[in-house]
Amino acid sequence: MSDAVLCFDAVTFGYRRDHPPILREVNFALHAGRVLAVVGPNGAGKTTLLAIALGWLRPWRGEVWLDGRPIRTYSRDARGRWLAIVPQSEHTPFDYTVLEYVLMGRAPHLPPLGIPGPEDYRIAMRALEQAGIAALTDHAVPTLSGGERQLMLLARALAQQPKVLLLDEPTAHLDLHNKARLIEIVRALRAQGLAVMMTNHEPEVVLAVANDVLLMAAGQPALFGPAGQVFTEAALRRIYQLPIRLVEIDGRRHAIWT
């Protein structure tokens, strides 16, 4: 795992020392040009895992490595140049335009109190085009639909020009068209060499984009490996406690349950 961009080495974490840990001995490696899907039911610790990956939370035990160095040795701005997060949702207290909001992704690349320049605007516009919402550039953020907001958050993360992109349930607020768009975006980013880690509840999305899978369930060891080996009927039945089947329809695998 020494050549991994992001690596969890026996990471254990909890919010209270007098309670069992939420994450226990989690191990995985994320490489450039690959997509890692983090899959598991609510309460398994998926969002907590992302917060630890960002350096926002410190593990009780174990180490998080970023480009071969402990992430705790990076400054906040340095982490921001490596990692970007697309949260499930985010409160916007002011009536920014979409372009103004996406430009916030340039903050880790600017000096203290610096303002965006022409190159920053060019990068932000390219991110909006990648997310498929360039037509919304001058729209006020409060006027956006839930799906448009999610794509705006993605554009802001892309404007950050990270080497590792973290997505927290990125398809949760998207209609079918925008979900397909997001899948194509993730595939394109993977082809460009970006490392992507996403939490997701939708097996079809995981099957469409993931190279590797980390299966999580509360109180059980996480299981990491290539998607074809880890994302199986038996494993999904174990973590979701449902009679799940993986079937192939028109050349694509789908998860169903009865």
Side-chain angles (χ1 to χ4, degrees):
M1 296 194 292
S2 59
D3 62 339
V5 181
L6 181 69
C7 176
F8 271 46
D9 183 11
V11 168
T12 295
F13 175 82
Y15 289 99
R16 292 181 56 177
R17 292 281 182 174
D18 57 343
H19 284 64
I22 296 172
L23 305 178
R24 190 189 303 272
E25 298 286 324
V26 176
N27 295 279
F28 69 81
L30 175 61
H31 296 264
R34 293 183 72 84
V35 176
L36 168 63
V38 182
V39 180
N42 293 333
K46 301 186 299 298
T47 300
T48 297
L49 187 88
L50 295 183
I52 294 172
L54 288 160
W56 295 349
L57 297 174
R58 184 75 64 87
W60 286 359
R61 295 186 297 278
E63 193 73 80
V64 178
W65 299 85
L66 180 62
D67 194 35
R69 280 174 50 193
I71 197 169
R72 54 186 167 78
T73 66
Y74 286 77
S75 68
R76 180 177 178 178
D77 281 348
R79 293 199 310 268
R81 291 188 290 272
W82 268 95
L83 302 134
I85 176 73
V86 179
Q88 293 185 40
S89 62
E90 189 169 88
H91 175 62
T92 309
F94 304 108
D95 286 351
Y96 294 108
T97 67
V98 170
L99 177 58
E100 288 171 336
Y101 201 80
V102 171
L103 276 167
M104 293 180 189
R106 300 302 299 156
H109 301 275
L110 299 176
L113 303 180
I115 60 174
E119 180 66 6
D120 300 300
Y121 276 85
R122 185 191 69 79
I123 292 169
M125 285 303 304
R126 181 172 180 271
L128 285 163
E129 291 166 2
Q130 282 183 286
I133 55 170
L136 302 177
T137 298
D138 297 322
H139 288 220
V141 172
T143 67
L144 302 182
S145 68
E148 289 168 341
R149 280 175 175 261
Q150 194 69 9
L151 291 171
M152 179 190 69
L153 293 174
L154 173 62
R156 184 187 63 180
L158 294 177
Q160 205 169 318
Q161 293 186 306
K163 297 176 179 65
V164 181
L165 179 64
L166 307 178
L167 308 171
D168 195 5
E169 299 291 346
T171 57
H173 304 290
L174 300 183
D175 59 25
L176 191 58
H177 174 79
N178 283 321
K179 189 177 298 185
R181 170 67 180 163
L182 183 103
I183 288 172
E184 291 306 314
I185 292 170
V186 172
R187 285 172 171 167
L189 295 172
R190 178 179 63 187
Q192 294 166 18
L194 195 68
V196 179
M197 180 165 68
M198 68 173 186
T199 66
N200 205 277
H201 279 298
E202 300 181 75
E204 287 74 20
V205 175
V206 174
L207 290 165
V209 300
N211 302 106
D212 304 298
V213 169
L214 182 72
L215 282 179
M216 301 177 62
Q220 299 182 32
L223 181 62
F224 168 73
Q229 297 178 17
V230 174
F231 204 72
T232 64
E233 290 181 352
L236 292 172
R237 289 171 180 170
R238 175 176 63 84
I239 67 168
Y240 286 111
Q241 300 295 301
L242 286 170
I244 294 174
R245 293 174 54 213
L246 294 177
V247 299
E248 189 167 313
I249 303 174
D250 295 332
R252 294 187 178 183
R253 297 172 75 206
H254 298 264
I256 62 173
W257 63 87
T258 57

